[in-house]
Amino acid sequence: MTAPAPLLVVGDALLDHDVHGRVDRLAPDAPVPVVSGPRRTSRPGGAALAACLAAADGRPVTLVTALGDDPASDTLRDLLDGRVDLVELPLTGALSSKTRVLVDGRPLLRLDDGDGRAREATEAARRAIAEAGAVLVADYGRDTAGVLRDDLAAAAGGVPLTWDPHPRGGPPVPGVRLATPSAAEAHALAHRAAPADTGQEPDHDLHGAAQDADRLVHAWRAASVAVTLGGRGALLSHGGTPLLVPSPVTADGDACGAGDRFAATAAGCLADGDLVETAVRQAVHAATRYVAEGGVRSDAVGTAPAGPRPAGREPTGDALRTAARVRAAGGTVVAAGGCFDLLHAGHVALLQAARRTGDCLVVCVNSDASVRRRKGSGRPLVPEADRIRVLQALECVDAVAVFDEDTPERLLAELRPHIWAKGGDYAMTRLPEAALVESWGGQVVLFPYLDGRSTTGIAERAALTPGRAGR
């Protein structure tokens, strides 16, 4: 599998703090809650968060941002060390930071301080943009994109450029491949971009979001605009009739940073050569998963220096974390395995049925080498990377992992699923992994198999010429 393509992130870095505490009483001198037992954590914010999320996907990331000599800038440098490559611009003032006070995981109030802004471009930053194969602009309205605007405009003509805008920032440069405002941002920006004030109140329904997206596509001369709709997904417009990409599930949790997760995923997919529609679909799934897994408290963000996740060909770490999280919550982990070469209705029926028996479904997929050993030199018909991507796109699939061996026993020993799901065509066969699954109290479960559906049969029919197929 080809390693993820490098990504250049250009934008305004922030330093974010969370103060977690509990509230048991009101203050005696005022009707305000008293937060006790505060615990403080710090993490990258703004463009720095987007860069860390992209790096957590296993891709090399360079961040162009403005930092100064203040303590907040020094803390952020430490948090980013070993995770992304930094190209610094000079900062006027102190780095902007925000502090959330949370009680039971919910924000009680927020404090903002620091008004630093990017002062000027540098030759190193201009060179990074000129040499980039793909760019994400994370604009938080503090001038990093502004001082590099001409360079970004030149890049937009040659490489995929994704722009995450801010109402206090400038508009995206003409020719951006994808802009990713939230519904509230899209409304504010669309009516700021309009020739005259319409006097309309913000309208965040699908009709209003579609109108805002259409207006922004034309006003910005953008190839496409994806308006993020929170838990409902995203609305993608190229101008005209939009495409709604719904969230695969409803995720309850801290949504702070979900927009950065969406933009980083979409920009990464475009860097890898995906179509915009594919990039937005993957971004919706990633943002949903990000919120479900704890948002800014997830492993991908971190609160201390850490190296980027090694570039691997399979998201095994995600599968193991998914299984561990569900198991810790008392849920049922279901796993299913196979080659899944030419995914067909029989595969989908099995996976949907398996998912309904538990609280998460991890699909264990044979690697290309494993498929060749089992099926012959002409297989697989679909390479490993594409098989993973197709499976990840299914709403019933929570995670995918790849195994190189002839059987998935090593991987199963790590996942330890409660249920190992197989198709009914194995009904008369003792599976080699059955004893292993049963050793930790797991159960092998067979599901009805749809007759007449097989990769071999589909391939043989496809190989027939039209004339022979009609006989």
Side-chain angles (χ1 to χ4, degrees), residues 7-179:
L7 180 67
L8 178 70
V9 179
V10 178
D12 309 299
L14 312 175
L15 180 63
D16 288 350
H17 309 286
D18 280 348
V19 178
H20 302 267
R22 66 180 187 276
V23 170
D24 303 314
R25 60 190 177 91
L26 295 178
D29 54 343
V32 295
V34 175
V35 180
S36 305
R39 177 174 57 86
R40 186 184 182 95
T41 59
S42 300
R43 64 178 187 278
L49 173 58
C52 288
L53 291 170
D57 293 335
R59 69 180 67 253
V61 174
T62 298
L63 172 63
V64 175
T65 194
L67 295 174
D69 297 326
D70 55 290
S73 292
D74 290 339
T75 299
L76 185 58
R77 287 188 184 95
D78 290 340
L79 289 170
L80 295 175
D81 185 36
R83 306 178 75 181
V84 302
D85 291 329
L86 265 177
V87 176
E88 296 188 20
L89 302 179
L91 181 74
T92 298
L95 183 71
S96 297
S97 64
K98 66 175 185 282
T99 301
R100 299 189 306 167
V101 178
L102 299 102
V103 177
D104 294 329
R106 298 184 179 277
L108 179 66
L109 61 90
R110 195 180 100 180
L111 307 174
D112 288 7
D113 60 329
D115 56 359
R117 308 183 78 85
R119 185 167 71 242
E120 61 188 3
T122 65
E123 285 305 313
R126 291 194 175 103
R127 185 166 56 252
I129 295 172
E131 295 174 354
V135 180
L136 166 62
V137 176
D139 184 7
Y140 277 77
R142 290 168 176 82
D143 289 348
T144 297
V147 300
L148 292 166
R149 187 171 182 84
D150 291 344
D151 303 275
L152 293 169
V159 301
L161 192 151
T162 303
W163 195 294
D164 192 10
H166 193 286
R168 285 184 288 189
V173 297
V176 297
R177 186 78 56 88
L178 177 67

Side-chain angles (χ1 to χ4, degrees), residues 28 72 194 200 202 234 271 388 464:
Q200 290 179 288
I388 292 172
L464 293 175

Side-chain angles (χ1 to χ4, degrees), residues 407-410 412-413 416-422 426-446:
T407 70
E409 291 174 276
R410 177 194 57 80
L412 287 173
R416 298 175 68 85
H418 300 94
I419 295 174
W420 176 236
K422 297 297 289 186
Y426 286 90
M428 304 303 293
T429 304
R430 174 66 175 174
L431 295 170
E433 61 269 24
L436 176 67
V437 173
E438 292 165 1
S439 71
W440 57 73
Q443 178 65 53
V444 177
V445 177
L446 300 179

